[in-house]
Amino acid sequence: MKSWRSRIALGLAALGIVAGAAAATVPLAATSAFADTAPNDGWVQVGGDSYDSFQDCVAQAQRDLPLNPQYHEATCQSYPKPGLPNYYLVWMR
């Protein structure tokens, strides 16, 4: 079964809107990737690293807040990678 992005691109291309198809597929791909990882509106991914625990990640992110005055909150999100099971994304807002 084809994804909706593929169907949209093929449908627009069939209508002769080749430039529109490219423009429509890029934002859809970027939006869905961001929506899958972002913890909530307003959060910006500022990094990621391996930590012993979620609490260690959050504690380090909190210590880093003064270095980033444009942000007032920090959190982490588990994001296991092959070979790095304790990898966390660091988010601030």
Side-chain angles (χ1 to χ4, degrees), residues 46-47 49 51 56-71 73-74 90 92:
V46 296
D49 206 347
Y51 296 91
D56 288 345
C57 178
V58 172
Q60 181 61 52
Q62 294 291 330
R63 288 191 297 270
D64 289 343
L65 273 175
L67 302 174
N68 300 290
Q70 69 270 31
Y71 303 117
E73 280 183 275
V90 179
M92 291 185 179

Side-chain angles (χ1 to χ4, degrees), residues 34-59:
F34 181 74
D36 291 343
T37 59
N40 202 344
D41 290 337
W43 291 96
V44 177
Q45 182 183 344
V46 296
D49 206 347
S50 292
Y51 296 91
D52 291 332
S53 68
F54 173 79
Q55 291 80 11
D56 288 345
C57 178
V58 172

Side-chain angles (χ1 to χ4, degrees), residues 5 25-38:
R5 282 181 285 217
T25 55
V26 172
L28 287 173
T31 302
S32 64
F34 181 74
D36 291 343
T37 59

